Amino acid sequence: MSPFPGSGLAKGLAVTLRTMTKKTVTEQYPDALPELPPRSRGVIGLFEENCTVCMLCARECPDWCIYIDSHKETIPAAAPGGRERSRNVLDRFAIDFSLCMYCGICIEVCPFDALFWSPEFEYAETDIRDLTHERDKLREWMWTVPAPPALDPGAEEPKEIAAARKSAEKLAAARAEAGEADA
């Protein structure tokens, strides 16, 4: 219980008076662009070369706002007597940003790093139907994606890099032994 009636009201008015005496800071947005954090979530950029049309992003999207169309293409055998291979070719990749809730699940589940957050935020449209952006626009936004932050010098080496380095060292040692055997 407060020491005297109305003390809560007095505290609230004190906060209001303190705030009223501070100078306001208004950024003039169209003239001066805001300073965004380096990894801010604006829109999703598509690195089309990495997309294998696995459809994981579309299946995991809780809003079903990712549309993907593809077709299969047959690749001839690389060597005589080999078999033909087939691969998926991306025909359409679109995201409806009027439905997207910017959760980032599609980016997290992409096993081939084809989707990235871009800090681009100026993509307003006058018609809601124009908020479905096709792969050409998503590819343009890919080039606004900032580089990933540098690794911490005190951190452990990633296991993938350590495994690759160990196999390279084994291969170099085997070549060195083979070279000594020939000499």
Side-chain angles (χ1 to χ4, degrees), residues 45-128:
L46 171 67
F47 190 53
E48 194 175 339
E49 290 77 18
N50 285 359
C51 184
T52 61
V53 197
C54 66
M55 306 277 191
L56 272 175
C57 54
R59 279 184 292 191
E60 295 296 324
C61 179
D63 292 333
W64 292 87
C65 65
I66 300 175
Y67 309 110
I68 301 174
D69 292 331
S70 67
H71 69 275
K72 289 206 179 279
E73 194 173 82
T74 303
I75 301 170
R83 66 180 189 139
E84 294 180 334
R85 306 255 180 211
S86 66
R87 70 178 180 113
N88 288 329
V89 177
L90 185 65
D91 292 329
R92 179 179 187 228
F93 193 103
I95 300 177
D96 187 350
F97 285 103
S98 66
L99 296 175
C100 182
M101 64 181 186
Y102 303 91
C103 62
I105 292 174
C106 57
I107 295 169
E108 294 296 322
V109 300
C110 182
F112 301 103
D113 289 334
L115 299 173
F116 294 89
W117 282 117
S118 167
E120 186 68 37
F121 64 94
E122 295 176 321
Y123 58 96
E125 300 288 344
T126 56
D127 188 2
I128 196 168

Side-chain angles (χ1 to χ4, degrees), residues 120-180:
E120 186 68 37
F121 64 94
E122 295 176 321
Y123 58 96
E125 300 288 344
T126 56
D127 188 2
I128 196 168
R129 291 173 288 197
D130 295 335
L131 282 172
T132 301
H133 294 290
E134 298 292 331
R135 68 181 181 178
D136 296 332
K137 187 69 173 176
L138 299 174
R139 188 182 316 116
E140 285 177 30
W141 285 328
M142 183 59 210
W143 307 120
T144 63
V145 172
L151 294 176
D152 184 14
E156 289 183 18
E157 184 178 40
K159 61 183 176 190
E160 295 87 357
I161 295 174
R165 185 177 38 76
K166 285 179 184 175
S167 64
E169 288 172 357
K170 286 181 184 176
L171 183 63
R175 286 184 181 164
E177 288 178 14
E180 289 175 8

